[in-house]
Amino acid sequence: MAPPAKERWCLALIIVLLSLFVQSSTAIYCGEDDCYALLGVAQDANASDIKRSYYKLSLEHHPDKNPDPESKKLFVKIATAYEILKDNETRAQYDYAIEHPSEVFYNTAQYYRAKYGHKSDPRAVLVGLLVVLSAFQYLNNVARYNEALATVKRTPAYKNRLKALELERTGGVSSKKKGPKQIDQKLQEELSNELDLQIKGAEKPSVWDLLGVRFVLLPYTIIKLLVWYSSWVWRYKVKKAPYSWEDASYLTRRSLGVPLDAWTNLDEYKKEDLVQRRLWEKQNLENYYAEMRKESKRRR
């Protein structure tokens, strides 16, 4: 059964577009002409023969010596052919394209890489890319933070704390005529500063978190990590010293998979209890989880 008319039209359009693409990709070097034929040399000609032929033809067809419009067009083609064949890399790519005309995408990519790639300093490209990405990252962080802050300010908890702060600043005397919207702007800013660390998932933007800054500081970060790891191995693996409170807390937090902010918000008694259990040891951790499961079942 023949396909519907609409599908036939779509298929025909795809074929036309592909044919145009293939034609343009095979003609990206010297158009419809052969670069070697334009310079009047064979494909195996050496660099000296190509250069000699180019100078001869360019003098013959130069617009200052030959006013013929067709000669001017030919002069441009000759110059283009020489630019391609005088460079060993582009010439090799052109020869490959002649021998493998079916590899359209590869030949096109190689052509544009040779034409534009060498003109850009990779270091400048890397710096530019980091600057652009860091700018987008910072703007996105600012937008997320402002949105989260605006959400917090609409909550009853925020308004209650704002009222409490006003009472604290005024010594417990509050004007009944003042509404939440009339509270001193300075007090609102002070309370916002207190709430900064309580907005999870939308921390206050900092330049130290930007991708570009972290990339610049990467050598320092690596050295710092190596020094820390070496010190850890020396103290606890070689000298067998007991863990300090900070390091024991780190091991406990890592064993439980607790984020740093959540660990900070735990009361000191709970932290001390968890650290004393030595949960970084596998058996102790399994026993702790077993206790938690029993406690959970008992509460049900």
Side-chain angles (χ1 to χ4, degrees):
M1 183 176 64
K6 185 176 181 180
E7 293 184 6
R8 290 200 301 269
W9 275 107
C10 292
L11 182 60
L13 180 60
I14 292 174
I15 294 175
V16 171
L17 292 175
L18 286 175
S19 63
L20 290 175
F21 179 76
V22 171
Q23 182 181 4
S24 62
S25 65
T26 54
I28 54 180
Y29 287 94
C30 292
E32 299 298 328
D33 300 299
D34 182 283
C35 295
Y36 291 103
L38 285 171
L39 294 179
V41 295
Q43 188 171 347
D44 59 351
N46 57 41
S48 300
D49 293 338
I50 292 175
K51 186 175 183 180
R52 188 183 308 111
S53 179
Y54 165 70
Y55 282 133
K56 178 182 178 181
L57 292 173
S58 61
L59 289 174
E60 179 182 347
H61 296 283
H62 197 280
D64 294 341
K65 297 182 177 295
N66 194 334
D68 185 6
E70 293 299 323
S71 184
K72 181 179 180 180
K73 294 179 181 179
L74 183 58
F75 175 79
V76 174
K77 292 182 178 181
I78 292 171
T80 302
Y82 181 66
E83 286 296 320
I84 292 171
L85 299 182
K86 74 175 183 178
D87 183 78
N88 292 332
E89 183 179 358
T90 54
R91 181 181 179 183
Q93 292 170 359
Y94 177 63
D95 291 341
Y96 186 89
I98 293 175
E99 297 173 2
H100 305 84
S102 60
E103 299 182 15
V104 176
F105 296 100
Y106 176 79
N107 293 331
T108 304
Q110 289 294 92
Y111 170 77
Y112 286 108
R113 185 185 68 83
K115 186 174 182 180
Y116 298 107
H118 66 282
K119 297 181 180 179
S120 302
D121 188 343
R123 294 169 296 182
V125 173
L126 178 60
V127 171
L129 181 62
L130 289 174
V131 170
V132 172
L133 291 177
S134 297
F136 276 112
Q137 181 186 6
Y138 185 77
L139 293 175
N140 178 64
N141 291 345
V142 169
R144 290 177 62 243
Y145 176 75
N146 290 337
E147 182 180 355
L149 196 60
T151 302
V152 170
K153 288 182 177 181
R154 291 193 295 266
T155 61
Y158 174 87
K159 296 177 181 178
N160 292 336
R161 292 189 61 186
L162 189 63
K163 191 67 176 177
L165 183 60
E166 183 195 18
L167 292 173
E168 181 183 345
R169 295 293 187 271
T170 57
V173 178
S174 177
S175 175
K176 297 181 179 180
K177 295 182 179 180
K178 280 188 176 183
K181 295 182 180 179
Q182 296 175 304
I183 295 177
D184 195 301
Q185 184 67 28
K186 186 178 180 180
L187 295 181
Q188 294 190 27
E189 293 178 359
E190 292 178 3
L191 182 56
S192 296
N193 292 333
E194 292 179 12
L195 292 176
D196 284 349
L197 298 178
Q198 299 180 18
I199 305 176
K200 296 182 180 179
E203 292 74 16
K204 190 173 183 179
S206 171
V207 294
W208 300 107
D209 296 329
L210 297 180
L211 181 63
V213 176
R214 289 193 173 189
F215 181 81
V216 172
L217 297 178
L218 183 60
Y220 167 76
T221 305
I222 293 176
I223 293 174
K224 186 178 178 180
L225 180 62
L226 290 175
V227 171
W228 175 85
Y229 182 74
S230 301
S231 175
W232 183 283
V233 171
W234 173 254
R235 281 185 295 172
Y236 302 130
K237 301 296 183 182
V238 178
K239 298 182 66 177
K240 304 295 183 180
Y243 290 113
S244 65
W245 170 260
E246 292 78 9
D247 292 337
S249 298
Y250 164 74
L251 290 173
T252 303
R253 181 170 59 84
R254 190 182 67 173
S255 300
L256 294 173
V258 177
L260 179 59
D261 56 347
W263 176 264
T264 304
N265 293 330
L266 287 177
D267 60 81
E268 294 303 320
Y269 175 79
K270 182 65 174 178
K271 290 181 185 177
E272 185 176 356
D273 176 63
L274 291 173
V275 170
Q276 289 179 353
R277 288 173 177 266
R278 301 179 64 86
L279 298 179
W280 54 88
E281 297 177 3
K282 184 177 179 181
Q283 187 60 48
N284 294 341
L285 183 63
E286 292 177 354
N287 293 338
Y288 173 74
Y289 281 140
E291 290 180 15
M292 291 298 100
R293 286 192 293 269
K294 290 179 181 179
E295 182 66 19
S296 177
K297 291 179 180 179
R298 186 184 65 79
R299 290 180 178 180
R300 291 177 186 176

PDB file of all heavy atoms in Angstrom, residues 77-89:
ATOM      1  N   LYS A  77      39.281  32.127  -6.906  1.00  0.00           N
ATOM      2  CA  LYS A  77      39.276  30.675  -6.776  1.00  0.00           C
ATOM      3  C   LYS A  77      40.691  30.129  -6.632  1.00  0.00           C
ATOM      4  O   LYS A  77      40.948  29.203  -5.832  1.00  0.00           O
ATOM      5  CB  LYS A  77      38.587  30.036  -7.976  1.00  0.00           C
ATOM      6  CG  LYS A  77      37.092  30.300  -8.059  1.00  0.00           C
ATOM      7  CD  LYS A  77      36.495  29.576  -9.260  1.00  0.00           C
ATOM      8  CE  LYS A  77      34.976  29.780  -9.332  1.00  0.00           C
ATOM      9  NZ  LYS A  77      34.383  29.056 -10.485  1.00  0.00           N
ATOM     10  N   ILE A  78      41.624  30.704  -7.394  1.00  0.00           N
ATOM     11  CA  ILE A  78      43.012  30.256  -7.321  1.00  0.00           C
ATOM     12  C   ILE A  78      43.599  30.536  -5.942  1.00  0.00           C
ATOM     13  O   ILE A  78      44.302  29.696  -5.358  1.00  0.00           O
ATOM     14  CB  ILE A  78      43.844  30.961  -8.421  1.00  0.00           C
ATOM     15  CG1 ILE A  78      43.409  30.455  -9.810  1.00  0.00           C
ATOM     16  CG2 ILE A  78      45.334  30.726  -8.214  1.00  0.00           C
ATOM     17  CD1 ILE A  78      44.011  31.247 -10.958  1.00  0.00           C
ATOM     18  N   ALA A  79      43.294  31.721  -5.414  1.00  0.00           N
ATOM     19  CA  ALA A  79      43.782  32.066  -4.077  1.00  0.00           C
ATOM     20  C   ALA A  79      43.206  31.126  -3.020  1.00  0.00           C
ATOM     21  O   ALA A  79      43.914  30.703  -2.091  1.00  0.00           O
ATOM     22  CB  ALA A  79      43.427  33.515  -3.763  1.00  0.00           C
ATOM     23  N   THR A  80      41.936  30.776  -3.142  1.00  0.00           N
ATOM     24  CA  THR A  80      41.307  29.854  -2.196  1.00  0.00           C
ATOM     25  C   THR A  80      41.945  28.475  -2.272  1.00  0.00           C
ATOM     26  O   THR A  80      42.223  27.844  -1.232  1.00  0.00           O
ATOM     27  CB  THR A  80      39.802  29.747  -2.486  1.00  0.00           C
ATOM     28  OG1 THR A  80      39.205  31.039  -2.392  1.00  0.00           O
ATOM     29  CG2 THR A  80      39.123  28.807  -1.503  1.00  0.00           C
ATOM     30  N   ALA A  81      42.180  27.998  -3.492  1.00  0.00           N
ATOM     31  CA  ALA A  81      42.798  26.692  -3.674  1.00  0.00           C
ATOM     32  C   ALA A  81      44.195  26.657  -3.073  1.00  0.00           C
ATOM     33  O   ALA A  81      44.598  25.668  -2.434  1.00  0.00           O
ATOM     34  CB  ALA A  81      42.854  26.344  -5.157  1.00  0.00           C
ATOM     35  N   TYR A  82      44.945  27.759  -3.254  1.00  0.00           N
ATOM     36  CA  TYR A  82      46.301  27.793  -2.691  1.00  0.00           C
ATOM     37  C   TYR A  82      46.278  27.808  -1.169  1.00  0.00           C
ATOM     38  O   TYR A  82      47.125  27.173  -0.527  1.00  0.00           O
ATOM     39  CB  TYR A  82      47.035  29.023  -3.230  1.00  0.00           C
ATOM     40  CG  TYR A  82      48.452  29.125  -2.725  1.00  0.00           C
ATOM     41  CD1 TYR A  82      49.412  28.175  -3.093  1.00  0.00           C
ATOM     42  CD2 TYR A  82      48.827  30.149  -1.854  1.00  0.00           C
ATOM     43  CE1 TYR A  82      50.704  28.259  -2.604  1.00  0.00           C
ATOM     44  CE2 TYR A  82      50.113  30.233  -1.370  1.00  0.00           C
ATOM     45  CZ  TYR A  82      51.057  29.292  -1.745  1.00  0.00           C
ATOM     46  OH  TYR A  82      52.336  29.365  -1.267  1.00  0.00           O
ATOM     47  N   GLU A  83      45.336  28.519  -0.566  1.00  0.00           N
ATOM     48  CA  GLU A  83      45.232  28.560   0.890  1.00  0.00           C
ATOM     49  C   GLU A  83      44.989  27.167   1.453  1.00  0.00           C
ATOM     50  O   GLU A  83      45.450  26.842   2.543  1.00  0.00           O
ATOM     51  CB  GLU A  83      44.086  29.492   1.311  1.00  0.00           C
ATOM     52  CG  GLU A  83      44.386  30.957   1.140  1.00  0.00           C
ATOM     53  CD  GLU A  83      45.525  31.421   2.036  1.00  0.00           C
ATOM     54  OE1 GLU A  83      45.582  30.969   3.202  1.00  0.00           O
ATOM     55  OE2 GLU A  83      46.352  32.214   1.571  1.00  0.00           O
ATOM     56  N   ILE A  84      44.273  26.343   0.707  1.00  0.00           N
ATOM     57  CA  ILE A  84      43.977  24.987   1.166  1.00  0.00           C
ATOM     58  C   ILE A  84      45.165  24.055   0.964  1.00  0.00           C
ATOM     59  O   ILE A  84      45.515  23.273   1.850  1.00  0.00           O
ATOM     60  CB  ILE A  84      42.735  24.435   0.429  1.00  0.00           C
ATOM     61  CG1 ILE A  84      41.490  25.210   0.867  1.00  0.00           C
ATOM     62  CG2 ILE A  84      42.554  22.941   0.681  1.00  0.00           C
ATOM     63  CD1 ILE A  84      40.266  24.913   0.059  1.00  0.00           C
ATOM     64  N   LEU A  85      45.825  24.170  -0.178  1.00  0.00           N
ATOM     65  CA  LEU A  85      46.875  23.214  -0.516  1.00  0.00           C
ATOM     66  C   LEU A  85      48.243  23.586   0.048  1.00  0.00           C
ATOM     67  O   LEU A  85      49.125  22.722   0.124  1.00  0.00           O
ATOM     68  CB  LEU A  85      46.979  23.080  -2.040  1.00  0.00           C
ATOM     69  CG  LEU A  85      45.725  22.560  -2.747  1.00  0.00           C
ATOM     70  CD1 LEU A  85      45.967  22.432  -4.247  1.00  0.00           C
ATOM     71  CD2 LEU A  85      45.290  21.230  -2.165  1.00  0.00           C
ATOM     72  N   LYS A  86      48.445  24.847   0.435  1.00  0.00           N
ATOM     73  CA  LYS A  86      49.764  25.228   0.949  1.00  0.00           C
ATOM     74  C   LYS A  86      49.985  24.714   2.374  1.00  0.00           C
ATOM     75  O   LYS A  86      51.123  24.572   2.810  1.00  0.00           O
ATOM     76  CB  LYS A  86      49.932  26.744   0.915  1.00  0.00           C
ATOM     77  CG  LYS A  86      49.157  27.497   1.979  1.00  0.00           C
ATOM     78  CD  LYS A  86      49.477  28.980   1.949  1.00  0.00           C
ATOM     79  CE  LYS A  86      48.751  29.719   3.070  1.00  0.00           C
ATOM     80  NZ  LYS A  86      49.081  31.158   3.084  1.00  0.00           N
ATOM     81  N   ASP A  87      48.887  24.445   3.101  1.00  0.00           N
ATOM     82  CA  ASP A  87      48.992  23.937   4.455  1.00  0.00           C
ATOM     83  C   ASP A  87      48.890  22.417   4.436  1.00  0.00           C
ATOM     84  O   ASP A  87      47.950  21.853   3.869  1.00  0.00           O
ATOM     85  CB  ASP A  87      47.879  24.534   5.326  1.00  0.00           C
ATOM     86  CG  ASP A  87      47.995  24.099   6.770  1.00  0.00           C
ATOM     87  OD1 ASP A  87      48.833  24.658   7.492  1.00  0.00           O
ATOM     88  OD2 ASP A  87      47.234  23.191   7.174  1.00  0.00           O
ATOM     89  N   ASN A  88      49.855  21.758   5.049  1.00  0.00           N
ATOM     90  CA  ASN A  88      49.896  20.293   5.000  1.00  0.00           C
ATOM     91  C   ASN A  88      48.668  19.656   5.641  1.00  0.00           C
ATOM     92  O   ASN A  88      48.154  18.640   5.157  1.00  0.00           O
ATOM     93  CB  ASN A  88      51.158  19.786   5.692  1.00  0.00           C
ATOM     94  CG  ASN A  88      52.422  20.140   4.924  1.00  0.00           C
ATOM     95  OD1 ASN A  88      52.383  20.285   3.687  1.00  0.00           O
ATOM     96  ND2 ASN A  88      53.538  20.292   5.626  1.00  0.00           N
ATOM     97  N   GLU A  89      48.177  20.260   6.741  1.00  0.00           N
ATOM     98  CA  GLU A  89      47.038  19.674   7.445  1.00  0.00           C
ATOM     99  C   GLU A  89      45.756  19.783   6.618  1.00  0.00           C
ATOM    100  O   GLU A  89      45.040  18.789   6.439  1.00  0.00           O
ATOM    101  CB  GLU A  89      46.842  20.364   8.795  1.00  0.00           C
ATOM    102  CG  GLU A  89      45.708  19.760   9.620  1.00  0.00           C
ATOM    103  CD  GLU A  89      45.547  20.438  10.969  1.00  0.00           C
ATOM    104  OE1 GLU A  89      46.342  21.348  11.266  1.00  0.00           O
ATOM    105  OE2 GLU A  89      44.621  20.059  11.721  1.00  0.00           O
TER     106      GLU A  89
END
